[in-house]
Amino acid sequence: MKEQREAAGSRMELSSLLHDLDLFSSEKPLPSPPLSPITELLSRLQEKLIAASSDSETNSLIGCVERLFQTADPDWLFSPASANEEEGWAELQSAYRSLTEAVIGCAALPLCEDDVSSVTAAAYQSVPGRAVRACSALRVLLGALGNLERTDLLLTVAPPVCVFAVTHFQDQPWTSSTSRAAARSLQEALLRAGGWSDSAHLLMGDRSPGEEGRSRAIVGGVLDVLQPQLTKDSWQRCEAVKLVFAWTLLQVTRPSLSPYLPCLLPPSLLLNDHYRPENCMLGVRCLHHIVLNTPAADLRQFNRAEVLYQALFKHLYTTEAAVIQLVLSCLLDLLLVLEKPPSSLAPSSARRKPCRHDNVLRLVLTHMEAEHKVPLRRVYASALPLYIDRMGVAVCRHLQRVERVVLGYLEIRDPPEETDRLKMLEVLQKTTRAAWPRMERRVDVLLRCLLRLLLDVSSDSELSDSVRLKLMNETSLCIKLLDGCSYGKLQPLLQQLDSSCCSPEVLGCLATVTVTAER
């Protein structure tokens, strides 16, 4: 009896709700059970949501949508109307997708008028409240869909819901703490409804091989939602699109990324080419993720890798330290796709023709010689040891530039951590080990610089003990390597030094060089 009363109460509430919405005209009164097909009701709800002219009307309609999925009989809500089951399910999926998009559209972000202006904070003022109400209604829908045996409907609405949740759970001008919490709750409800463990699982599907594992992946659906807004003329009009795209891309890893490369690469290149540093950096991060998670053969196909190389190489002429740092890191991985590292080639001179590695290193060294901005100097100094290591013996082609850069950077302090000097000492060590037959003729100039560095560091009271000790140890190691290149010719010179010309601390460092050599 209790269950019958609850069912009757729910039906009366549903009937009252439908009458309140005026979804049926006076000429066509609300039918008695069985109710009209759910697809007809969803279509009318969608039309009303799109036509709503005020916030109060929109809020009322979203509340009605929420109550509909809370009170209606699931057998009616998710029953195909057509006699043909497959055709009926397709119609039902279309109706639910359209209604979901209409609810999401009620909290859509205002668009920029053109591709150079931005939306004011005042224009976003009403967005968080509308997003909270939309999240509430969508959570109820997901809760109902999660109880169905068939996942068709859930997979149909999951992509737009995921895009909506990601748009609003980020800390951005169009969100508030309340709307971010609501969006995170919506994302959790989506994962719960489909049994996905996390966002990466949601996008890429199960790891099981074959079509069965990929059938639960929604990354393709998410990209379909974003694609109309990711064109050259439209992506800058909505601030959220680039963030949702980047979030999606960075969640997808090997081997799931490769099939979607044609959809992921163009927007990443658009971001990379933008004049604003924040957009450019986002694009470089996306491109680097693609390089790391795509097979080399796929990147080389259709000359994609060369396109990426040209798009990144031009950024080496910028003066933005943050951009240069990301670009140098990405190029280091991309170059391995385009060519073998020079350090791995046979010692035959015929196989050591200049390559793209040389082009990058040559430009970096040229810029380093003239650079005076501290942030850029630090970025270049941090990246140079990796490139020298990659070059191997082929660094001989750049010895003059490397020598000038090392000498120039060792002369200038970089407090408090002395990062530049430490990195240059590392560069000198790697270069000496790789190109030792060519280093003997450079020993005199380098030795004078290293001894001067030891004297400066030992008397610098601003340095911490740990930094001073590290600098002196690395400098001693460089002198030891140069002594080896010159076949011990530095020994007589070093042994002539005494307390009249340098401190005991410096003599102690130099003693480690001479003692080791004597052994």
Side-chain angles (χ1 to χ4, degrees), residues 127-128 143 256 359:
V127 173
S256 301
N359 295 337

Side-chain angles (χ1 to χ4, degrees), residues 42-80:
L42 297 178
S43 178
R44 296 190 184 186
L45 268 174
Q46 176 203 355
E47 293 171 3
K48 280 187 168 288
L49 283 166
I50 294 174
S53 56
S54 65
D55 282 350
S56 59
E57 184 181 0
T58 300
N59 295 340
S60 175
L61 286 166
I62 292 177
C64 291
V65 171
E66 184 175 348
R67 294 202 304 277
L68 171 67
F69 293 115
Q70 284 175 333
T71 59
D73 183 2
D75 290 338
W76 173 63
L77 282 174
F78 305 115
S79 296

Side-chain angles (χ1 to χ4, degrees), residues 7 71-72 78 128 143 147 240 325 419 435 446 464:
T71 59
F78 305 115
N147 295 324
Q325 184 175 20
T419 306
L446 292 170
S464 65

Side-chain angles (χ1 to χ4, degrees), residues 88-98 150 152-153 156-157:
W89 273 104
E91 183 182 2
L92 197 62
Q93 289 174 38
S94 177
Y96 272 99
R97 175 70 175 248
S98 299
R150 290 189 60 157
D152 310 47
L153 285 177
T156 298
V157 304

